[in-house]
Amino acid sequence: HGTGCTLSSAIASCIALGYSLKDALILAKMYVHKGIRLGEQIGKGAGPVMHTGFPNEQIDMPVISEQPLK
């Protein structure tokens, strides 16, 4: 559905724009999250990732925690 290739392309794009690797990973995660959130349902199952531009909403920010997930 495009999440893996979108993520890797977003990481590479952020690095090419001069972002550090850590920032590139976070921005790419935000980009994919936004694309999934705004993607349209086509047929059965998950739809494709919508390419909507630079993520700029709080809802797309990843939650970072020092505590391991249970």
Side-chain angles (χ1 to χ4, degrees):
H1 301 282
T3 54
C5 55
T6 298
L7 180 65
S8 62
S9 295
I11 293 168
S13 296
C14 288
I15 290 171
L17 289 170
Y19 289 97
S20 70
L21 178 58
K22 287 181 182 181
D23 288 342
L25 294 172
I26 291 171
L27 288 170
K29 163 92 168 73
M30 291 173 64
Y31 182 80
V32 172
H33 184 271
K34 181 179 179 181
I36 292 170
R37 182 172 58 83
L38 297 177
E40 295 184 26
Q41 186 72 27
I42 299 173
K44 295 182 179 181
V49 175
M50 181 175 280
H51 298 276
T52 58
F54 199 83
N56 58 1
E57 297 181 43
Q58 182 71 30
I59 192 169
D60 299 314
M61 294 285 293
V63 176
I64 300 173
S65 173
E66 300 276 334
Q67 303 299 317
L69 297 175
K70 293 182 180 184

